[in-house]
Amino acid sequence: MSLYAVVLAAGQGKRMKSKLYKVLHPVCGKPMVGHVVDTLNEIHVDRTVVVVGHGAEAVQQYLGDGLEYALQAEQQGTGHAVLQTNQLLAGLEGTTIVICGDTPLVKADTLQIMLEQHREQGSAATILTVEMPNPTGYGRIIRDDAGHVVKIVEQKDCTREEALISEINSGTYIFDNEKLFAALAQVTNDNAQGEYYLTDVLHIMKAGGERIQAYCSNDVKESIGVNDRVLLAEAERYMRERINLSHMVNGVTIIDPEHTYIEKGVRIGSDTVLQPGTILKGDTVIGEDCVIGPETEITNSKIGNGVEIYKSVLLDAEVDDEAHVGPFAYLRPGAKLGKSVKIGDFVEVKNATIGDNSKVSHLSYVGDATIGSDVNFGCGAITVNYDGFNKHKTEIGDGSFIGSNVNLVAPVRIGNGSFVVAGSTITHNVDDNDLAVARVRQETKVGYAEIMRNKLKARSNKK
Ligand code: UD1
Ligand code: CA
């Protein structure tokens, strides 16, 4: 039987007090609605329709063409929102999951269990509920004396007794598709908010003799519906715990999980150790046996095995096995380090390839360069890649030695096995195995220090 999903994402999210549409607010680096769609993909939904309204273009642009969209031009409630998928889904035989774009923590496993129960029991609707210690703001689940679900009452429509009920509606449901649209047609906006509530579908079904049931999850946090920034932070914390846990289960040591921030989608090999203050973002892949951190931020980078990265920042960089980076290194887009490369303190590398076993140990800038293997790039040596208008390339062959405080004025090429003397400003190519000196020759005046001191003393006495 076909499985459909409707994601409600048309609301503005007034309580967020934001220029950004609510469902696009990120949780652990990914917009909330992206988490919801990921979860649906995990359980292999045949068709997903996203109801868009506020920020429709932005939401659609973010989610892309793989999904279907229904426009809800005016936000007249969650029931009205589902009704906008009428033309796409009404009358089809199948099962439909309805889920809110602001509940990023609902788990695929939970949906799977709900689906099984729903099908086994031949229900018209299965609601995901939870016992909330503080249920304020959520719809309450009303059961009869036998414990069967009768209806859902919204906070604003609750009687005093109903408000005391702590079992709440998470906003996630599974419906028989045909029965859903039949009931939706009967929903009115006769309530405190003057909206068409999706939740009214349940008592309409019940009144029609249909079977409705609740699946009460024991995971309170899973049902967080993010309406404001306080709940956003709560969702963030819970998602972070969940992501960190999955890496630990996979064999990654996280010294202080509360201070380790890993975006969804980052991959990490086993026996890698993450020190406190590590932030891993985007499409980052980290191999096995690495030590990362403390205080290290890595974005969209590929790190091999056995790499150490200490107090550094990496963006769109690649680091091969056994390399050592930091402390205080900055690898910018296009930095590619070979095996066992050493990048030391206060070194910046941008758009540059550095070959195996080469060392850039201290205080250097390497930009727009290709450096071979076994090169020693001395302390304070830099590539001079920019003339104010254009960027130029520096090339250094294998086994060369670049002395301290050398300026390599690009475009320039240093051959294999060459030697550039400390303090040189190199403006011409240096061939293989040549030595280049480009600085004023030293002059030493014998005994002149004493003479100089006396002169200076005499001058200061006169004043
Ligand atoms: C809704 C439920 C409530 C439940 C809670 C769980 C209803 C009437 N109430 O309340 O029982 O406890 O979720 O979090 O369904 N949306 C639209 N179009 C609209 C209105 C809303 O697309 O016209 C979308 C919003 O973008 C949001 C979702 O539906 O993603 C839920 O809407 P929201 O206004 O947050 O509903 P709640 O008041 O939280
Ligand atoms: Ca909500």
Side-chain angles (χ1 to χ4, degrees):
M1 209 199 305
S2 295
L3 181 59
Y4 310 110
V6 175
V7 180
L8 304 185
Q12 182 185 9
K14 282 201 195 92
R15 290 165 281 182
M16 296 296 283
K17 305 221 167 80
S18 177
K19 290 177 281 301
L20 186 65
Y21 304 107
K22 175 160 85 171
V23 297
L24 292 180
H25 273 266
V27 168
C28 291
K30 175 170 255 183
M32 292 197 268
V33 70
H35 286 288
V36 172
V37 168
D38 279 358
T39 305
L40 294 171
N41 286 338
E42 268 183 67
I43 58 165
H44 306 294
V45 172
D46 297 305
R47 285 173 66 187
T48 297
V49 184
V50 184
V51 181
V52 290
H54 278 283
E57 269 179 42
V59 174
Q60 238 168 296
Q61 198 189 344
Y62 165 67
L63 290 173
D65 293 336
L67 307 166
E68 296 171 69
Y69 297 93
L71 183 70
Q72 186 192 25
E74 255 181 81
Q75 282 65 55
Q76 299 179 40
T78 47
H80 180 257
V82 177
L83 208 51
Q84 307 312 302
T85 69
N86 207 36
Q87 289 198 335
L88 294 166
L89 298 178
L92 298 179
E93 203 180 304
T95 307
T96 301
I97 299 170
V98 177
I99 186 165
C100 297
D102 64 352
T103 53
L105 296 160
V106 175
K107 289 182 284 209
D109 286 355
T110 302
L111 292 179
Q112 202 66 56
I113 298 169
M114 284 173 71
L115 274 170
E116 277 160 30
Q117 276 197 11
H118 181 84
R119 284 171 177 158
E120 265 167 29
Q121 309 211 3
S123 300
T126 303
I127 317 151
L128 177 62
T129 72
V130 72
E131 293 280 349
M132 278 268 179
N134 176 11
T136 307
Y138 292 95
R140 306 297 204 284
I141 305 295
I142 313 296
R143 293 177 183 259
D144 62 18
D145 293 340
H148 297 123
V149 179
V150 181
K151 60 179 177 177
I152 298 173
V153 181
E154 289 308 297
Q155 172 79 43
K156 289 186 177 145
D157 301 291
C158 276
T159 63
R160 208 171 292 155
E161 292 92 69
E162 285 168 342
L164 295 173
I165 295 170
S166 59
E167 188 185 5
I168 62 99
N169 168 29
S170 71
T172 302
Y173 322 78
I174 294 176
F175 291 109
D176 172 284
N177 187 64
E178 289 162 286
K179 290 173 183 165
L180 167 64
F181 283 93
L184 269 178
Q186 299 175 50
V187 171
T188 67
N189 62 353
D190 181 16
N191 52 52
Q193 302 188 76
E195 289 188 353
Y196 295 88
Y197 292 162
L198 175 60
T199 43
D200 282 356
V201 154
L202 297 152
H203 79 250
I204 292 171
M205 285 178 169
K206 184 79 182 175
E210 296 292 350
R211 186 183 176 83
I212 60 174
Q213 58 165 340
Y215 171 74
C216 187
S217 162
N218 55 15
D219 182 355
V220 175
K221 296 166 180 168
E222 178 178 22
S223 291
I224 292 173
V226 175
N227 293 329
D228 58 30
R229 310 271 181 155
V230 177
L231 289 159
L232 183 68
E234 218 173 286
E236 175 89 19
R237 177 150 44 86
Y238 186 49
M239 183 70 83
R240 178 162 70 240
E241 277 171 28
R242 207 190 263 179
I243 292 171
N244 288 353
L245 188 90
S246 75
H247 289 292
M248 291 187 274
V249 167
N250 286 335
V252 176
T253 294
I254 302 183
I255 302 293
D256 183 359
E258 272 187 61
H259 299 98
T260 303
Y261 309 82
I262 309 172
E263 288 185 3
K264 214 174 165 190
V266 170
R267 283 175 287 157
I268 310 171
S270 65
D271 290 317
T272 283
V273 177
L274 305 182
Q275 301 280 0
T278 293
I279 303 172
L280 305 176
K281 298 161 83 170
D283 280 332
T284 294
V285 181
I286 294 175
E288 299 180 0
D289 306 308
C290 295
V291 180
I292 311 290
E295 281 109 52
T296 290
E297 179 167 326
I298 304 179
T299 308
N300 296 330
S301 296
K302 198 171 173 303
I303 315 295
N305 299 319
V307 172
E308 273 179 24
I309 301 180
Y310 184 48
K311 295 200 181 190
S312 293
V313 176
L314 282 72
L315 173 63
D316 298 333
E318 284 178 33
V319 179
D320 210 335
D321 300 347
E322 310 295 333
H324 181 103
V325 177
F328 314 116
Y330 186 16
L331 303 188
R332 292 172 51 206
K336 287 191 183 128
L337 312 187
K339 292 190 172 56
S340 304
V341 161
K342 180 173 183 237
I343 300 294
D345 52 282
F346 306 106
V347 171
E348 177 175 332
V349 181
K350 184 217 73 176
N351 189 30
T353 302
I354 299 180
D356 297 352
N357 304 309
S358 288
K359 291 186 171 67
V360 186
S361 299
H362 346 254
L363 303 162
S364 286
Y365 171 63
V366 180
D368 301 306
T370 307
I371 296 182
S373 55
D374 300 299
V375 168
N376 187 79
F377 202 87
C379 174
I382 60 164
T383 56
V384 182
N385 62 327
Y386 187 50
D387 57 17
F389 297 96
N390 298 298
K391 301 276 169 71
H392 302 284
K393 278 215 76 163
T394 300
E395 285 176 65
I396 301 173
D398 297 342
S400 286
F401 182 94
I402 310 297
S404 292
N405 216 32
V406 163
N407 298 311
L408 297 165
V409 182
V412 71
R413 178 174 194 286
I414 312 294
N416 296 319
S418 318
F419 196 104
V420 177
V421 169
S424 294
T425 292
I426 299 295
T427 51
H428 295 100
N429 291 349
V430 178
D431 284 339
D432 292 358
N433 299 312
D434 285 354
L435 177 146
V437 197
R439 65 184 188 210
V440 175
R441 190 174 280 277
Q442 180 172 330
E443 194 184 334
T444 308
K445 299 188 175 181
V446 177
Y448 202 83
E450 192 59 24
I451 297 166
M452 178 65 115
R453 257 192 300 274
N454 290 336
K455 262 192 192 172
L456 293 171
K457 208 188 285 172
R459 213 180 280 167
S460 77
N461 286 344
K462 266 183 211 163
K463 276 187 196 161

